[in-house]
């Protein structure tokens, strides 16, 4: 057997790069994964599943499946996209930047609606950052400098299981030699979560009232008067937390979907950024979204370079437009404005409202995904591909916008294509069809 070290985990935005993987001598079998959390290890081990699909499958009239070749899959996808007036091209967060680049070329050529999973996740964060900017840092700085962290509307103990042990709570760093004993942790969450059980202070905010609590912190920083209770939290606790924040040496606010998708949405993030700015009058604070899919940040980066917008990119007029709420996937589906759907590296069947998934079901639809997922239930064509980060390497961006290069650790089953290879074939075929 061979031991491969410094392997990058392609599951969540923490992008742990210290995994060790044991593979057979011929590099065809993955035997063991060390250092990963349970969900990360499962992603690697799932590539070895005996019942895994290795060839594309097309749906028959009666709902059953028939296996087709990759050539037929390329032809179907290219024809579908080339004939569509306005195809929705969604996903892109569980693949590498190389595939995202080819996907953007395809979208430009067919006038697609290009959107990634931020649309149902941290899209409101991206809007807030465009509005007011963001004082941020890297996870390495948090590990080496932070003596106070705030987790607002997120539960890393479950969603990013090694975040706390690698960066934000337990590790000892250059200026943080005491590890977790030297860090103050505040969790803001309406629920008593496992992350909250590790906190020094749990602010049990009332559901949907984050904006008020963030405003109250700004008042407390200036020692102005607060009402007795704000958003379910007594004023004494708010003053106490505000004082701790002002007296920290280096702090970071991590936030999740509890604030991006509760009442006020992007305005919650606007004011959380203002809280961070206020704190920088006293000491050093940063703020960072807890990005979910391992390369959703990369999708925003790649489209940022290419089109100037990180998600909800409308290319149907021959130039890039951006108007979340109008050019976002669910709005387009609900208004029946798109006439086909192409999904790669995501599972809208699991994450979109049922009414949107029903609309997808009624349209020509292709899903490119190594797994059988709720999305593959509603498609005409399902194209399984090699696991990115396991069977093919490539660049991905961690939640702090640091690009990390991953390498292949095991061979994909014989004859399987990667996301990038499949997209390049589709791009070539669309060029032929359109004569460009
Ligand atoms: Fe993978 Fe995230 Fe777990 Fe790290 S925390 S091993 S990146 S799933």
């Amino acid at each position: 057997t061979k031991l491969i070290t410094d392997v990058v985990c392609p599951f969540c935005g923490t992008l742990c790069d210290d995994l060790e993987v044991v593979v057979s001598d011929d590099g065809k079998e993955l035997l063991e994964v060390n250092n990963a959390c349970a969900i990360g290890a499962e992603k690697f081990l799932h590539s070895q599943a005996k019942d895994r699909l290795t060839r594309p499958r097309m749906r028959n009239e009666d709902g059953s499946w028939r296996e087709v070749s990759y050539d037929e899959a390329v032809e179907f996808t290219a024809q579908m996209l080339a004939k569509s007036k306005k195809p929705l091209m969604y996903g892109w967060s569980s693949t590498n930047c190389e595939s995202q680049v080819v996907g953007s070329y395809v979208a430009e050529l067919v006038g697609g609606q290009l959107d990634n999973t931020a649309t149902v996740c941290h899209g409101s964060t991206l809007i807030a950052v465009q509005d007011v900017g963001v004082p941020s840092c890297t996870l390495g700085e948090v590990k080496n400098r932070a003596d106070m962290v705030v987790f607002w509307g997120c539960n890393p103990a479950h969603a990013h299981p090694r975040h706390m042990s690698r960066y934000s709570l337990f590790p000892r760093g250059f200026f943080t030699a005491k590890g977790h004993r030297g860090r103050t942790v505040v969790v803001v969450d309406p629920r008593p979560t496992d992350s909250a059980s590790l906190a020094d202070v749990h602010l049990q905010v009332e559901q949907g009232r984050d904006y008020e609590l963030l405003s109250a912190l700004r008042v407390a920083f200036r020692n102005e008067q607060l009402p007795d209770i704000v958003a379910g939290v007594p004023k004494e606790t708010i003053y106490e937390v505000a004082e701790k924040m002002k007296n920290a040496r280096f702090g970071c606010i991590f936030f999740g979907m509890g604030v991006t998708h509760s009442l006020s949405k992007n305005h919650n993030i606007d004011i959380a950024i203002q809280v961070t700015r206020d704190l920088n009058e006293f000491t050093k604070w940063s703020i960072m979204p807890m990005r979910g899919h391992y390369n959703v940040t990369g999708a925003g980066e790649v489209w940022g370079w290419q089109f100037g917008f990180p998600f909800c990119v409308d290319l149907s007029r021959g130039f890039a437009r951006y108007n979340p709420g109008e050019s976002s996937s669910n709005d387009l589906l609900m208004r029946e404005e798109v006439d086909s759907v192409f999904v790669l590296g995501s599972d809208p069947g699991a994450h979109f409202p049922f009414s949107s998934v029903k609309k997808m079901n009624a349209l020509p639809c292709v899903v490119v995904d190594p797994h059988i997922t709720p999305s593959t239930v509603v498609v005409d064509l399902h194209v399984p591909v090699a696991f990115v980060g396991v069977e093919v390497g490539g660049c991905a961006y961690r939640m702090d916008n640091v690009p990390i290069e991953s390498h292949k650790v095991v061979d994909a089953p014989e004859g399987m294509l990667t996301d990038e290879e499949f997209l390049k074939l589709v791009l070539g075929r669309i060029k032929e069809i359109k004569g460009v």
Side-chain angles (χ1 to χ4, degrees), residues 174-194:
F174 196 82
F175 298 110
T176 50
K178 288 189 186 157
H180 79 281
R181 282 184 292 119
R183 285 194 182 91
T184 306
V185 178
V186 176
V187 168
V188 187
D189 202 307
R191 303 161 306 163
T193 60
D194 284 338

Side-chain angles (χ1 to χ4, degrees), residues 88-92 113-116 119 303 311-312 327-329:
L88 172 61
M89 299 182 66
Y90 174 77
W92 309 102
Q113 301 285 319
L114 207 45
D115 202 7
N116 60 54
T119 206
W303 298 352
F311 74 123
C312 295
S327 56
S328 26
S329 305

Side-chain angles (χ1 to χ4, degrees), residues 314-334:
D314 171 5
L315 296 163
S316 63
R317 300 183 193 191
F319 57 91
R321 277 179 79 246
Y322 167 74
N323 193 14
E326 181 206 340
S327 56
S328 26
S329 305
N330 278 301
D331 299 276
L332 290 163
L333 284 165
M334 293 309 294

Side-chain angles (χ1 to χ4, degrees), residues 9-16 19 35-37 39-40 159-163:
C9 173
F11 190 87
C12 85
T14 314
L15 227 57
C16 298
L19 272 52
N35 297 347
C37 68
I39 46 179
H160 300 81
R162 297 186 70 219
H163 191 280

Side-chain angles (χ1 to χ4, degrees), residues 11 17 20 58 64 87 107 119 142 184 224 226 257 264 301 305 327 336 370 385 396:
F11 190 87
D17 53 3
E20 295 185 350
M58 188 91 84
S64 60
T119 206
V142 174
T184 306
E224 306 275 353
L226 282 171
M257 290 174 63
S264 307
E301 292 280 345
W305 312 325
S327 56
E336 300 184 1
V385 277

Side-chain angles (χ1 to χ4, degrees), residues 182-234:
R183 285 194 182 91
T184 306
V185 178
V186 176
V187 168
V188 187
D189 202 307
R191 303 161 306 163
T193 60
D194 284 338
S195 300
S197 69
L198 295 168
D200 299 288
V201 184
H202 176 201
L203 298 180
Q204 208 156 358
V205 61
E206 281 173 14
Q207 169 72 38
R209 297 183 68 188
D210 303 272
Y211 193 96
E212 285 165 67
L213 188 56
L214 285 157
S215 306
L217 278 173
R218 298 191 73 193
V219 172
F221 294 152
R222 286 164 182 74
N223 295 318
E224 306 275 353
Q225 284 304 309
L226 282 171
D228 288 346
I229 294 187
V230 179
V233 182

Side-chain angles (χ1 to χ4, degrees), residues 8-19 33-44 156 158-167 291-292 294 398-399:
V8 179
C9 173
F11 190 87
C12 85
T14 314
L15 227 57
C16 298
D17 53 3
D18 62 341
L19 272 52
V33 184
N34 298 323
N35 297 347
C37 68
I39 46 179
E42 193 54 36
K43 173 124 189 204
F44 282 88
H158 288 269
H160 300 81
R162 297 186 70 219
H163 191 280
M164 287 171 150
S165 57
R166 268 177 70 77
Y167 299 111
R291 305 305 299 269
Y294 88 95
R398 204 167 60 186
M399 62 169 70

Side-chain angles (χ1 to χ4, degrees), residues 78-302:
Q79 292 288 354
M80 179 189 88
L81 291 172
K83 282 181 193 152
S84 295
K85 286 202 175 71
K86 211 171 180 181
L88 172 61
M89 299 182 66
Y90 174 77
W92 309 102
S93 301
S94 285
T95 190
N96 52 22
C97 294
E98 290 80 350
S99 308
Q100 291 162 353
V101 170
V102 187
S104 337
Y105 293 149
V106 174
E108 268 189 307
L109 202 56
V110 300
Q113 301 285 319
L114 207 45
D115 202 7
N116 60 54
T117 54
T119 206
V120 285
C121 188
H122 274 286
S124 39
T125 304
L126 299 169
I127 294 169
V129 170
Q130 286 160 344
D131 285 346
V132 296
V134 63
S136 199
C137 65
T138 65
L139 287 172
E141 283 179 277
V142 174
K143 172 185 170 181
N144 286 300
R145 294 178 185 278
D147 58 348
M148 185 164 182
V149 283
V150 176
F151 294 106
W152 200 304
C154 56
N155 186 10
H158 288 269
H160 300 81
R162 297 186 70 219
H163 191 280
M164 287 171 150
S165 57
R166 268 177 70 77
Y167 299 111
S168 51
L169 177 50
F170 297 109
R172 294 163 198 265
F174 196 82
F175 298 110
T176 50
K178 288 189 186 157
H180 79 281
R181 282 184 292 119
R183 285 194 182 91
T184 306
V185 178
V186 176
V187 168
V188 187
D189 202 307
R191 303 161 306 163
T193 60
D194 284 338
S195 300
S197 69
L198 295 168
D200 299 288
V201 184
H202 176 201
L203 298 180
Q204 208 156 358
V205 61
E206 281 173 14
Q207 169 72 38
R209 297 183 68 188
D210 303 272
Y211 193 96
E212 285 165 67
L213 188 56
L214 285 157
S215 306
L217 278 173
R218 298 191 73 193
V219 172
F221 294 152
R222 286 164 182 74
N223 295 318
E224 306 275 353
Q225 284 304 309
L226 282 171
D228 288 346
I229 294 187
V230 179
V233 182
K235 70 174 179 186
E236 294 74 22
T237 314
I238 299 172
Y239 283 122
E240 187 196 326
V241 169
E243 213 44 42
K244 282 186 199 293
M245 291 174 100
K246 278 161 68 176
N247 290 314
R249 198 180 53 220
F250 183 108
C252 189
I253 301 173
F254 294 100
F255 64 96
M257 290 174 63
V259 253
T260 62
H261 278 273
S262 57
L263 279 180
S264 307
K265 298 211 166 184
N266 54 308
H267 298 299
N268 286 333
I269 316 308
D270 285 352
I271 195 159
I273 291 170
Q274 298 304 345
V275 163
T276 315
R277 288 228 169 100
D278 287 354
L279 283 164
N280 278 289
E281 306 230 330
F282 307 99
T283 179
K284 175 78 185 149
W285 272 78
S286 288
I287 182 164
M288 195 183 299
M290 299 286 275
R291 305 305 299 269
H293 288 69
Y294 88 95
N295 197 24
V296 60
T297 311
E301 292 280 345
V302 169

